[in-house]
Amino acid sequence: MIWLFLLCFILILVVIILCIKIFLMQKSIGEIRSGFSEKLHTDTNTLITVFSRDKSVRLLAADINSQLKELRKQRHRFVQGDLELKNAITNISHDLRTPLTAINGYLDLLDDAPKNDDVKRYLDIIKNRTNALQQLTEELFRYSVITSPEHDALPEPVTVNSVLEESIAGFYAALQQRKITPVIRITEIPVCRTLNRAALSRVFSNLISNALKYSDGDLSITLVETGWITFSNTASALNEVQAAQLFDRFYTVENARKSTGLGLSIAKSLLEQMNGTMEAQYENGRLSISILLPEG
């Protein structure tokens, strides 16, 4: 009887010890989980710390810390490389602007000089190519400025309806030239947000410009009272893979050779700086780009 009692006592003691051990391991795993989440979302050089004496748990924490160190190295290389690329773009585009301006000035002077038909045709070709190069240079310069850490877009109260209407009106001539009659559905309820007006106008302009590049001849623009804005058009020249890459820097498709591939990338960067979101969908030959503006 005593032996049975002793055996039960030992079993109960073992169960208690195992329960305590499981509890401590769960606590340590919780510490690792919360610590890992914190390190991923904050720019810090600290590592995950655990108070458990369990060898397996400490080895797990050590392995995670090792991967965190490598991740920080890769992140630092990426940030440094991205900054160097933007600085290079800024410098190159800035250096190109002065000679291009001078070239355009001399071309304007040549327009007034007497010339035969062949010379006139050649000058027109040179001028068109120079204007395209100047446009691409300006786009590169604006991109490097917009995406730089020093860029600060000050917010102000904005009525989104009016900004969208102004942007559409600014493209009236270009839309008419492409024989596009846009279908516009803008809510009569004022959609008021605290945003940077110039940045929002730039987002809309880049989205309409993108539609002009890829549209088969139609464009639908919708704004609802919740802040959802959708630009939709038929784009048979695209496919799902290309549509998914439209936000990538410098990505272009063949029928937009004069583009830097920065328009949508700039629009998305500006929108994210204002805490908005942008996404693209391509279904049944139709491209839809939707943006959601933040509340307030």
Side-chain angles (χ1 to χ4, degrees):
M1 192 72 178
I2 296 176
W3 289 104
L4 182 59
F5 177 78
L6 184 60
L7 181 60
C8 291
F9 175 78
I10 293 173
L11 289 174
I12 292 172
L13 185 61
V14 169
V15 170
I16 292 173
I17 293 172
L18 287 175
C19 289
I20 294 173
K21 187 174 181 64
I22 291 172
F23 171 78
L24 293 175
M25 288 187 68
Q26 288 179 336
K27 183 179 178 182
S28 299
I29 292 171
E31 291 174 351
I32 293 174
R33 182 173 174 273
S34 61
F36 184 69
S37 177
E38 178 189 353
K39 308 311 176 193
L40 283 180
H41 292 90
T42 57
D43 187 13
T44 175
N45 290 323
T46 60
L47 298 175
I48 294 173
T49 56
V50 292
F51 299 98
S52 174
R53 295 184 180 181
D54 186 87
K55 184 178 180 181
S56 298
V57 172
R58 298 186 72 85
L59 285 174
L60 175 61
D63 288 342
I64 293 175
N65 283 333
S66 177
Q67 294 300 317
L68 277 174
K69 290 179 182 178
E70 184 62 28
L71 180 62
R72 285 181 189 135
K73 289 180 183 178
Q74 296 295 335
R75 181 186 293 175
H76 178 73
R77 290 191 192 122
F78 171 78
V79 172
Q80 188 65 27
D82 194 56
L83 182 61
E84 290 174 358
L85 175 62
K86 290 173 183 175
N87 288 336
I89 291 172
T90 304
N91 294 333
I92 292 171
S93 58
H94 185 271
D95 292 341
L96 287 174
R97 292 166 86 188
T98 301
L100 282 173
T101 302
I103 291 171
N104 277 326
Y106 283 113
L107 287 173
D108 289 337
L109 292 175
L110 285 173
D111 279 342
D112 300 328
K115 48 190 174 292
N116 58 39
D117 291 341
D118 287 339
V119 172
K120 184 178 179 180
R121 186 173 74 255
Y122 297 150
L123 284 175
D124 287 341
I125 294 172
I126 293 171
K127 195 166 187 177
N128 288 335
R129 296 294 185 269
T130 305
N131 287 335
L133 182 58
Q134 190 171 34
Q135 180 183 350
L136 298 181
T137 303
E138 289 295 327
E139 193 77 3
L140 285 168
F141 181 76
R142 285 194 293 266
Y143 172 78
S144 61
V145 171
I146 287 170
T147 57
S148 67
E150 293 80 13
H151 178 71
D152 186 17
L154 296 178
E156 58 183 297
V158 172
T159 302
V160 179
N161 313 53
S162 60
V163 177
L164 181 57
E165 290 170 356
E166 291 171 7
S167 298
I168 297 171
F171 279 86
Y172 177 80
L175 290 167
Q176 289 296 307
Q177 187 177 8
R178 286 288 313 278
K179 298 181 179 180
I180 296 175
T181 302
V183 177
I184 302 169
R185 303 182 185 89
I186 298 178
T187 178
E188 295 182 359
I189 301 174
V191 180
C192 300
R193 297 289 189 272
T194 302
L195 306 166
N196 180 269
R197 184 183 181 89
L200 183 62
S201 178
R202 182 65 186 275
V203 171
F204 292 155
S205 296
N206 285 12
L207 288 172
I208 298 173
S209 177
N210 180 77
L212 285 170
K213 292 175 190 174
Y214 301 116
S215 176
D216 290 350
D218 66 309
L219 174 61
S220 174
I221 302 174
T222 304
L223 167 64
V224 298
E225 55 270 20
T226 58
W228 270 106
I229 309 169
T230 303
F231 296 77
S232 178
N233 59 271
T234 306
S236 59
L238 293 177
N239 55 48
E240 291 185 9
V241 175
Q242 291 172 328
Q245 294 177 296
L246 287 176
F247 297 136
D248 294 348
R249 291 184 304 183
F250 309 115
Y251 177 78
T252 61
V253 293
E254 288 189 18
N255 65 338
R257 290 172 184 165
K258 292 184 179 180
S259 172
T260 57
L262 291 173
L264 289 183
S265 181
I266 288 174
K268 188 174 184 180
S269 295
L270 286 172
L271 198 61
E272 288 176 347
Q273 289 174 14
M274 296 184 288
N275 298 319
T277 59
M278 178 182 294
E279 60 183 29
Q281 290 183 337
Y282 188 79
E283 187 175 354
N284 297 326
R286 192 166 188 82
L287 175 66
S288 297
I289 297 179
S290 301
I291 64 178
L292 177 61
L293 301 174
E295 294 288 342

